[in-house]
Amino acid sequence: MGIADDFRNEVEIATRNALAESGSEVDFIIEVPSVGDADLAVPCFNLAKTMRKSPKDIAEKLAGMIRPSGSISAVSSMNGYVNFSIDRGVLVTETLNEILAKGDGYGRLPPTGVRVNVEHTSTNPTGPIHVGRARNPIIGDTLARCLKMCGNEVVTEYYVNDVGKQVVILTWGVENIPKGSVEEEERDKTDHKLVAYYRKANKMMEEDPAVAEQISDMLRRFEAGDQEVIGSVRHTAQIMLEGLKESLANINVALDRYTWESDFIADGSAASVVSRMKRTDYAGQTEDGSWYVDLAEFGVNGKNTKFTFTRSDGTTLYTTRDIAYHMSKFSRSDRVIDVLGEDQKLGSQQLTYALRILGCVMEPEPMFYAFVSLPEGKMSTRKGVVVYLDDLIDEAVERAYEEIRSRRDDMSEERMRETARVIGVGAIRYNVVRVQPEKQFVFTWKEALNFDGNSGPYLQYVHARACSMLRKAGDFERDADPSKLTDEYEIKLVKVLSKFSSVIAEAGNQKRVHVLPAYGHEVASAFNQFYAAVPVLSSGASANARLTLVECSKIVLRNVLECLGMGAPEEM
RNA sequence: GGACGGGUGGCCUAGUCAGGAUAUGGCAGCAGCCUCCUAAGCUGCAGGCCGAGGGUUCGAAUCCCUCCCCGUUCGCCA
């Protein structure tokens, strides 16, 4: 692939040959040294036992046997490690030429032909997206982008829960609460307008038994297949969803497909799941008449190992319909990924076993994230203890606007607004995705609006900086001559650029999206150090080569930003 | 109570899967750096019993055991 992989392969072959020559074919690992200037190292400690020599001796012997060749420029030993250095000339030429040749495609892995379905967001259409839930679309969308870069055919999908009590409550509220009697939110967006009815309906249901009865009745009619109720609930969900889509679009998230939960009831596939489940050896029925499968032998723990898939009246449950949904996804995908909140862990596990019982060979790959809370505690849409994503976006964009205005007097108002949006949204996405998903996350405005250091704007700033230099340079002749790029900062930058495709592979295929912002920061930081230490435009004979390095950095950064769903501003 | 996940300088965080050399980066703090390509930047300083204790190993933030703290979950809810 790239020079980084070539170098690693050469190190592996050279080491294996040297070991074979000395009569010991033992396994060894190759790692990136945590200390010193070498680029790769082979620790010899685990070889010591089988070879019956000290690690230090082994390392010295191996280092003496391996001759630098190809992309390996030097081999040495220290403290029981064999250290390998990459040939700088090869590194510079290969890396820069590959980036220039591939451009937007630099970092992209060869096509796999694998169809990957990524379900994400899927929040209940009962209220606006709050910053707790926002982790889902941001992680999901970033993962989907990375999987595409990994050469897969990716479809993103939102499962719309237009079935069940929550949406019925909302619909009851919208249909029965007079317009003037709720405090409508100021924001002119359907999700914000409707959530007021949802809150009020919940409150009324708790306080007034008559209302509770009306809602129960509506729910019964819904379950019984009353087309009027089903239709109006779906209609309400649709309206709500328009608002949610707008919020998602504002953070550069657009899903390929929306699948409605009620469709699995309407088309009979949920009922088909029920009849198939009933025929399995795991199925049973309680005295009341509800059906379950016993998952005890699958290692499901807890007080109750029974997984119920119909109510006593025969109607289906959320998870039953989710089984039908997953079978639908299996029929059109090779890999199915679900981005879920950690509260779904048990449900996801039950789903997996139920699918297995039904004979499915494919299994969903869940990806869980921990909840985001506020310093004062958990968020709750119903109680109104929330920070909405829309408010966060506004706040971040406003803050970015102030920053731009304070340092630029030559930009048009429109341009400043436009750029502020790119920066504000970038800051939000970066801030969310930089943290490992399973880590608990306490939302603070200070962190969310951080534009310095390890932040989205830091990467964008470097992109803008590189663009500015290239603008000033005008036309120049590209030059990847390694004899003109010998400064330590230049070499370090090139090394970082050469790693991109391996980072993409990890972020996508291993579903470790948080490595991507870390990498972006590494690129930007290496660039800033280079920028501070090495003159470019005024560097005479080296100028073209340095400008080439600037251009390559810009390309890599833009590709990283693209994978992160962040804009790459040309000035800021 | 069981299951699952998290615990790394004042705060946030990487590294844990595949044990290795001096634990990553940032924020906040202190001290420097714009007559020079965007200072949303760069350089330096200071700050750590990697939750606690035991074990395995030549070697443990990383593996094993026990315990503590935080989160999630254990519905004929979604």
Side-chain angles (χ1 to χ4, degrees), chain A residues 27 75 80 213 312 344 394 456-457 466 494 562:
Chain A
D27 281 338
V75 187
E213 181 46 38
S312 46
Q344 308 285 320
D394 285 354
V494 175
E562 172 65 25

Side-chain angles (χ1 to χ4, degrees), chain A residues 285-462:
Chain A
Q285 200 172 15
T286 64
E287 290 170 6
D288 298 336
S290 68
W291 283 85
Y292 62 85
V293 279
D294 197 323
L295 301 177
E297 75 173 62
F298 294 92
V300 169
N301 295 293
K303 290 172 188 153
N304 192 356
T305 58
K306 292 181 174 62
F307 164 50
T308 306
F309 63 91
T310 77
R311 296 196 181 86
S312 46
D313 65 4
T315 55
T316 57
L317 295 157
Y318 172 81
T319 331
T320 321
R321 301 182 291 268
D322 208 16
I323 293 168
Y325 174 46
H326 275 79
M327 291 172 76
S328 153
K329 288 199 279 187
F330 289 165
S331 73
R332 49 193 159 87
S333 328
D334 303 305
R335 253 181 104 180
V336 168
I337 296 172
D338 299 335
V339 180
L340 301 168
E342 62 178 339
D343 57 331
Q344 308 285 320
K345 270 188 186 171
L346 180 63
S348 167
Q349 204 155 62
Q350 289 171 332
L351 170 74
T352 299
Y353 298 137
L355 287 163
R356 203 182 287 172
I357 286 173
L358 289 175
C360 293
V361 278
M362 284 176 67
E363 286 192 358
E365 299 171 45
M367 181 173 175
F368 298 107
Y369 60 90
F371 280 131
V372 180
S373 57
L374 296 173
E376 52 269 40
K378 279 198 223 177
M379 289 192 212
S380 160
T381 304
R382 247 181 323 145
K383 293 175 187 154
V385 186
V386 282
V387 175
Y388 289 129
L389 175 59
D390 294 319
D391 295 330
L392 173 58
I393 296 169
D394 285 354
E395 205 61 50
V397 170
E398 188 52 35
R399 169 73 204 288
Y401 174 77
E402 297 300 335
E403 292 282 337
I404 297 171
R405 217 182 46 178
S406 73
R407 68 193 77 212
R408 298 291 296 261
D409 49 15
D410 57 334
M411 229 193 250
S412 73
E413 177 69 15
E414 195 193 351
R415 184 99 169 129
M416 285 197 287
R417 291 282 174 197
E418 206 175 280
T419 308
R421 180 148 280 278
V422 170
I423 293 164
V425 169
I428 293 169
R429 286 194 62 138
Y430 187 96
N431 185 244
V432 166
V433 86
R434 62 172 246 275
V435 183
Q436 227 172 58
E438 52 270 22
K439 217 130 180 167
Q440 292 161 228
F441 198 111
V442 178
F443 175 87
T444 57
W445 284 103
K446 186 176 177 298
E447 268 297 316
L449 300 180
N450 173 35
F451 290 0
D452 301 320
N454 189 7
S455 73
Y458 181 90
L459 312 206
Q460 293 172 320
Y461 182 71
V462 168

Side-chain angles (χ1 to χ4, degrees), chain A residues 32-61:
Chain A
V32 178
S34 55
V35 72
D37 316 313
D39 298 298
L40 287 176
V42 174
C44 299
F45 305 94
N46 55 336
L47 313 179
K49 215 169 255 172
T50 43
M51 294 177 73
R52 297 187 8 198
K53 272 208 257 182
S54 78
K56 195 161 174 284
D57 290 346
I58 297 168
E60 274 169 19
K61 189 178 167 204

Side-chain angles (χ1 to χ4, degrees), chain A residues 67-103:
Chain A
R67 251 164 226 304
S69 70
S71 60
I72 301 171
S73 67
V75 187
S76 63
S77 78
M78 185 181 277
N79 302 338
Y81 290 82
V82 188
N83 289 320
F84 297 84
S85 299
I86 190 166
D87 184 275
R88 295 176 163 206
V90 176
L91 170 78
V92 170
T93 312
E94 297 280 319
T95 304
L96 298 190
N97 283 335
E98 191 189 344
I99 296 170
L100 292 173
K102 294 186 174 168

